[in-house]
Amino acid sequence: MAALFTTPKRNDTTAGTHVAEPDVRRRIGLAHGSWRRVTRRIVVGAVCALTASSLLMPSVSLAAEWVKVGETKYNAGTAASDEAGTWSWDGADDLKLNNYNGGEIQAAGKLNVNYSGTNIVTAEWIESINVSHGTNENAELNIQGDAGSTLSVTSTEDAILSTGNINIDGAGSVNATSTGFDAINAGGDLAIKGSGNVNATGASDGIRANGNITIDDSGAVTARATEDKGIGTDKNLTIKGGGTVEASSADGEALWSGGNINISDGSQVKASSEKDAAVEAKGSLAATNASLNVNGVEYGVYAHKGITLDHANVTVRAGKGRYGGAIALFTYQDDIVVKNGSTVDAFAEGEVSAAFSTRNDRPNEKGGHIYISDSVVKAIARYVENGDGPTPYSENQDGETSPEPQGENIGIIAQTGEGVTPAVISIIRSKVTAEGDTAAIFARAMSADGKTIGTIKIENAAIQTPEGGKVIDYRKLRNGIYEAGQAIGTGDAVIDSPYNEAVAKSMVIAPPEVAKPEDPKPDETKPAESKQDPKPEGAKTTKTVAVATTKAKATGVLAATGDTSGAAIVATVLAGTAAIAAGTMASRKRS
């Protein structure tokens, strides 16, 4: 199990064990036709580099320097249109489409495309709509349509491309399809807003940008990719506005960000990948007052710098990856925080799997902690879904057992390496159901002297199952390094393996009907440093938490709910907290 603390890489196994073999799909990517896409992006990158100086200069004009419609190019200063009235250009920055059905639209500088009626733009071996940097004007493409109007754009190259920014606004529908490259591609920032619908289907990416992507839309955005990302940005991805966003990929991430991913404002996001992580952020992921439904391979959500779920409704599934591992919610170098009435249902299936997992082995980085408060969490990790789980120890043909486990499946796990702030799993006023073929919940840390201990802290809640359940201690010396931590289980003995029979494979923690008035307020997700940090080095393992929680009142509304819906449980938890706050205020007034 020492391998669990190695630095994770995207082609590692779920537990963090690095496999030297490179990512085969990415390694042979040039062999199945994607060389054209890669070469083309190199060229685009070179063009962007050459125009970097112009990007820093103020624009002289706010208009297209020229426009090309179909086969004809028109220079700025002279208005143009066709006889049928399906398109017209004012000679500056406005191009109007009215039931247009024709070839590509190209421009240099800034171009506003306003569409009404039913419009179709089709091109082969060239982008259907393309705005590039001009001599004096940086590229900017703005698309806007009326309610009931559509703009359908199809190409063997990028369907919609700008070497600068792209803004899509209005109440109309934009349909972009590329049979060879990206459906919508911005060299700068990309913004989708308004109340309209955007459908993007790309042979490579569905929607991508070198800059930030902001979706502030009360309508619907759908992005599909065949070879790469459904929605991908080199910087930050922001989804708000209360609409729906659905992203999928057959061979890459559904949502990918080189920075942070923020979902808020009642937005509903669905992300699925057939061969990769559904959601990956090189920064953090935050879902606030939003819904997130994720289905991925190897990882459901992989956020390198932390996951925060604040009054969010989240469902995550992770299937077995190429090396047999799966993690539903995973962060490295930071924490997982679930708070303020969130409901989370996480499931992972694989030889090595976890529903919640945070890991940190870098001394200068924070992380390795899981905080759950005022929420309902269900976390299940299985070797095989709906199966009996793995045999803890493998057998040979003679029926003799080997001390090597077949797999490790833990519902909730926090782990830290040597020299790092010890792992902590904190559960406050929440109902948590955790299951794992190996262990339901586990916290562990590594140190040379064995004084650094991973801990499980439970406040204003009780262990309902297993019967007699408590926080038990774990300690093992492996290759001169101590692994020390805690699990939920039974008995008083210190265990030396998560496969020990004393470790609970299934557990339920829930708050009593009414918590004590002196308890922390619901926004105190991370307890004060003095409460959260483990005892000083040399101190004994904290068993006082286990004693307090096992003696807590386990009757009342939540204890009797059984399979009551998460929404009802959250409502009860928050109602109890509100009653406490009201009582405290009344007491202060009387005093």
Side-chain angles (χ1 to χ4, degrees):
M1 296 192 334
L4 290 167
F5 299 95
T6 59
T7 301
K9 297 180 175 60
R10 287 292 284 113
N11 62 328
D12 286 356
T13 62
T14 304
T17 307
H18 180 59
V19 178
E21 181 181 354
D23 186 327
V24 176
R25 176 171 60 82
R26 290 177 172 84
R27 177 167 53 85
I28 66 172
L30 300 181
H32 55 74
S34 64
W35 64 270
R36 295 175 63 247
R37 172 167 50 89
V38 173
T39 302
R40 185 172 178 279
R41 287 188 178 172
I42 292 173
V43 173
V44 171
V47 171
C48 290
L50 290 173
T51 58
S53 58
S54 66
L55 289 172
L56 299 176
M57 297 174 60
S59 300
V60 176
S61 61
L62 293 175
E65 297 177 7
W66 55 262
V67 165
K68 181 181 178 184
V69 180
E71 298 296 326
T72 307
K73 182 177 180 180
Y74 306 90
N75 292 320
T78 303
S81 63
D82 68 342
E83 294 182 358
T86 63
W87 69 270
S88 63
W89 178 46
D90 65 355
D93 53 4
D94 287 339
L95 176 68
K96 299 184 183 299
L97 303 180
N98 183 13
N99 295 312
Y100 175 82
N101 188 347
E104 70 272 11
I105 295 172
Q106 313 285 320
K110 176 183 177 181
L111 182 67
N112 302 323
V113 177
N114 296 277
Y115 65 92
S116 59
T118 301
N119 301 272
I120 300 174
V121 184
T122 307
E124 291 187 358
W125 313 118
I126 192 171
E127 297 80 10
S128 288
I129 298 179
N130 180 13
V131 175
S132 57
H133 295 308
T135 303
N136 299 312
E137 178 66 28
N138 297 328
E140 180 181 324
L141 173 61
N142 301 308
I143 300 174
Q144 185 169 12
D146 302 327
S149 298
T150 61
L151 173 63
S152 298
V153 185
T154 304
S155 177
T156 55
E157 303 289 311
D158 289 343
I160 299 175
L161 171 67
S162 170
T163 53
N165 298 336
I166 295 178
N167 298 292
I168 300 175
D169 198 352
S173 296
V174 175
N175 305 311
T177 303
S178 171
T179 57
F181 295 103
D182 305 326
I184 301 176
N185 183 358
D189 295 336
L190 190 152
I192 299 173
K193 54 186 178 179
S195 59
N197 300 321
V198 174
N199 300 288
T201 302
S204 182
D205 295 325
I207 298 173
R208 75 172 306 276
N210 290 344
N212 299 303
I213 292 180
T214 300
I215 299 175
D216 186 359
D217 190 291
S218 60
V221 175
T222 303
R224 304 179 183 87
T226 301
E227 295 181 2
D228 217 326
K229 301 166 178 59
I231 299 177
T233 169
D234 292 346
K235 294 185 179 179
N236 298 319
L237 171 61
T238 301
I239 299 174
K240 57 184 180 178
T244 61
V245 175
E246 183 172 348
S248 61
S249 176
D251 199 21
E253 298 87 351
L255 294 179
W256 187 91
S257 170
N260 303 323
I261 296 177
N262 292 290
I263 305 168
S264 63
D265 199 21
S267 298
Q268 302 177 53
V269 177
K270 183 176 182 180
S272 61
S273 175
E274 297 177 19
K275 293 185 179 180
D276 216 322
V279 179
E280 181 174 359
K282 294 297 183 182
S284 63
L285 178 137
T288 305
N289 298 317
S291 172
L292 178 62
N293 190 311
V294 172
N295 196 326
V297 175
E298 190 170 6
Y299 296 96
V301 174
Y302 184 169
H304 294 240
K305 296 293 184 178
I307 297 172
T308 300
L309 308 177
D310 184 352
H311 197 67
N313 188 347
V314 179
T315 300
V316 186
R317 298 290 181 266
K320 181 172 63 176
R322 74 201 76 178
Y323 301 116
I327 299 180
L329 287 167
F330 177 70
T331 188
Y332 178 60
Q333 304 171 31
D334 215 298
D335 305 327
I336 295 177
V337 177
V338 181
K339 61 182 180 179
N340 292 339
S342 293
T343 59
V344 182
D345 184 348
F347 175 86
E349 176 190 3
E351 283 85 346
V352 179
S353 61
F356 277 57
S357 176
T358 178
R359 179 170 66 251
N360 185 22
D361 55 9
R362 296 188 178 183
N364 296 324
E365 300 284 352
K366 64 179 182 177
H369 315 118
I370 297 173
Y371 304 100
I372 301 171
S373 65
D374 302 293
S375 298
V376 175
V377 169
K378 184 177 182 180
I380 298 176
R382 288 277 183 260
Y383 189 85
V384 178
E385 186 175 5
N386 299 324
D388 295 329
T391 303
Y393 298 92
S394 57
E395 294 185 357
N396 59 26
Q397 293 180 349
D398 297 328
E400 297 176 350
T401 59
S402 167
E404 294 299 325
Q406 288 185 340
E408 180 175 278
N409 316 99
I410 300 176
I412 300 175
I413 181 169
Q415 47 193 351
T416 52
E418 187 173 1
V420 179
T421 303
V424 175
I425 298 174
S426 175
I427 299 171
I428 304 173
R429 291 182 305 272
S430 297
K431 179 171 183 179
V432 176
T433 301
E435 298 179 15
D437 292 331
T438 303
I441 182 171
F442 208 72
R444 58 187 167 198
M446 297 178 67
S447 64
D449 57 9
K451 295 180 181 180
T452 304
I453 301 167
T455 57
I456 297 173
K457 299 185 178 183
I458 305 170
E459 298 182 26
N460 305 312
I463 299 173
Q464 294 187 341
T465 60
E467 184 176 355
K470 62 178 71 175
V471 178
I472 62 175
D473 294 333
Y474 161 79
R475 179 175 292 271
K476 186 177 184 65
L477 178 63
R478 186 190 303 275
N479 299 324
I481 299 296
Y482 284 95
E483 294 179 9
Q486 295 181 329
I488 300 297
T490 56
D492 297 319
V494 177
I495 61 172
D496 62 0
S497 170
Y499 302 93
N500 191 291
E501 293 181 356
V503 176
K505 307 297 187 290
S506 176
M507 56 127 258
V508 176
I509 295 173
E513 182 177 5
V514 178
K516 296 179 181 179
E518 64 269 23
D519 292 335
K521 295 179 181 179
D523 59 349
E524 295 178 353
T525 304
K526 292 187 179 182
E529 185 174 353
S530 60
K531 294 182 180 180
Q532 193 58 256
D533 291 340
K535 291 186 177 181
E537 290 190 359
K540 294 183 179 180
T541 305
T542 55
K543 279 199 172 182
T544 54
V545 174
V547 174
T549 55
T550 52
K551 290 184 179 180
K553 183 179 179 182
T555 59
V557 177
L558 290 178
T561 53
D563 293 329
T564 300
S565 68
I569 296 168
V570 169
T572 306
V573 171
L574 296 181
T577 304
I580 296 166
T584 304
M585 291 296 292
S587 176
R588 288 178 179 174
K589 289 181 179 179
R590 287 194 297 270
S591 61

